[in-house]
Amino acid sequence: MGLGLVFLLSLSACQTFRTPDPTFDPVPLPDYRVGDKFIYDNGKSETVKAVDGAKITWRRSNGFRFVSHASPAAPYLSWTYNKRRAALKHISVEHDAIWPLIPGKWDRFSYSGTLFDSETGNEREFTGNWVCSVGDSMELEMIWGPVEAIELLCHRHSSKTGRFYGSRAWYYAPSVGHFVMKRDFHRSNKGDSTLRLLAAERSLPRLDPMEETAMALHIGEVLENNGSEAPGRWQGLGKHASQTVVPLRTYRTAKGFYCRKYLLRRDIDGQTAILRKTACRLGRKDWRDVGEAVKSPK
């Protein structure tokens, strides 16, 4: 991983930063909308359920609900899961601290809150101390294609002893409007993990009918001819729109349909959506997404 601007935090909590790059085009905060859904390679997903000013309510596929600000580095304002809940009481910086992102920019913050277990009646306080810095922009190769991302790296440590607890790095892709990868590093080097984005179900600008038709034909061609994980790319004439189709798995249904699961990446006017879809074959290059009107083959 290219950490760029930062020398990893030592046990003495020393950290060195460089001067922010004045020539870099600043990256603004994500702009989430109700219904946005992000699916990860651990099998879980997160969906935006409500947006109230700067506060965003999310729900994970396992039932975990939380309220946060748009920055992935900001601590949750509150969360509930099963019989436990937590609420933030204090944070030392504004919710948009360190944004817009510019390589070399950094900030530190602390926070505190209360965790309550309704089953046992136990209540305890929790605290956190973080130093966050912005790394370089880089190209990451995802299963659905390459994407430009910028690194946001945070270290957690003790405010009293300076003891290093761990680090977390988000790789935020402006075109997707969300992080495409998250990496956790622990002081003991045990339990390090990487989470990757598989799909980003978001609304994109509308296309004219001719472009929509061309994209649909391209999907059929790729599903007909390409092997699993062999992507096919389409580029519009005006170059404001493109798509990448990645077949994932082929299977046959009980009714005799050949079907394929696939990833569909669409880039329109600088915005990106990545969708997980399933289509079934009706004839040569004629593939219909599951949910469309499909008749049994004769």
Side-chain angles (χ1 to χ4, degrees):
M1 178 183 66
L3 298 180
L5 65 98
V6 68
F7 297 98
L8 280 175
L9 199 65
S10 68
L11 294 182
S12 60
C14 293
Q15 195 170 12
T16 303
F17 305 98
R18 72 183 187 205
T19 303
D21 183 357
T23 65
F24 188 84
D25 191 15
V27 176
L29 272 169
D31 181 20
Y32 294 112
R33 301 176 184 178
V34 174
D36 287 352
K37 183 177 182 179
F38 302 93
I39 303 169
Y40 307 101
D41 64 356
N42 64 353
K44 297 179 181 178
S45 65
E46 295 177 332
T47 303
V48 177
K49 307 302 290 185
V51 177
D52 182 10
K55 297 180 180 180
I56 303 162
T57 301
W58 298 79
R59 187 184 187 281
R60 288 184 184 153
S61 51
N62 63 353
F64 184 92
R65 296 181 67 96
F66 63 98
V67 179
S68 71
H69 291 303
S71 173
Y76 297 158
L77 300 173
S78 63
W79 61 260
T80 58
Y81 183 60
N82 290 336
K83 298 181 179 181
R84 305 176 75 198
R85 66 179 187 270
L88 200 67
K89 296 195 301 184
H90 166 77
I91 185 169
S92 62
V93 297
E94 295 296 324
H95 69 90
D96 56 355
I98 214 173
W99 295 78
L101 300 181
I102 301 173
K105 196 173 180 180
W106 71 279
D107 206 343
R108 67 176 70 239
F109 65 91
S110 60
Y111 60 87
S112 62
T114 304
L115 174 65
F116 180 72
D117 188 322
S118 60
E119 187 172 41
T120 63
N122 293 333
E123 183 176 307
R124 67 177 179 86
E125 300 295 308
F126 63 87
T127 61
N129 296 278
W130 292 83
V131 178
C132 297
S133 52
V134 184
D136 289 320
S137 179
M138 65 192 74
E139 183 177 274
L140 296 178
E141 188 65 42
M142 311 299 290
I143 188 174
W144 35 265
V147 64
E148 285 293 323
I150 188 168
E151 182 187 62
L152 177 56
L153 176 66
C154 294
H155 300 297
R156 187 181 180 193
H157 62 281
S158 168
S159 60
K160 295 181 180 180
T161 65
R163 185 184 186 188
F164 171 61
Y165 292 142
S167 301
R168 175 169 290 176
W170 295 266
Y171 297 85
Y172 176 76
S175 65
V176 179
H178 196 66
F179 66 87
V180 295
M181 187 166 68
K182 181 175 69 173
R183 303 185 71 181
D184 283 299
F185 309 90
H186 300 274
R187 183 174 62 88
S188 63
N189 294 322
K190 295 181 180 179
D192 293 352
S193 61
T194 300
L195 182 71
R196 293 177 176 84
L197 184 70
L198 282 185
E201 300 179 358
R202 309 172 64 221
S203 60
L204 293 178
R206 284 184 170 274
L207 296 170
D208 65 52
M210 291 184 63
E211 288 177 313
E212 287 284 3
T213 299
M215 285 180 157
L217 290 172
H218 171 251
I219 293 172
E221 290 177 356
V222 175
L223 295 180
E224 187 80 13
N225 300 315
N226 291 34
S228 296
E229 298 190 17
R233 181 174 170 79
W234 175 90
Q235 177 71 63
L237 293 177
K239 294 189 176 181
H240 78 104
S242 65
Q243 76 175 12
T244 301
V245 180
V246 186
L248 298 177
R249 184 170 70 87
T250 305
Y251 63 95
R252 193 172 187 180
T253 68
K255 293 184 178 181
F257 288 113
Y258 284 100
C259 301
R260 303 194 77 176
K261 293 184 180 294
Y262 68 98
L263 290 176
L264 173 63
R265 170 181 175 169
R266 284 192 167 179
D267 296 272
I268 301 174
D269 295 333
Q271 300 181 49
T272 301
I274 308 104
L275 310 175
R276 293 199 311 176
K277 289 177 168 286
T278 301
C280 296
R281 188 179 190 270
L282 298 186
R284 179 172 171 76
K285 296 184 181 180
D286 183 9
W287 292 78
R288 305 289 178 87
D289 281 341
V290 172
E292 296 181 356
V294 177
K295 296 180 180 179
S296 299
K298 296 180 181 180

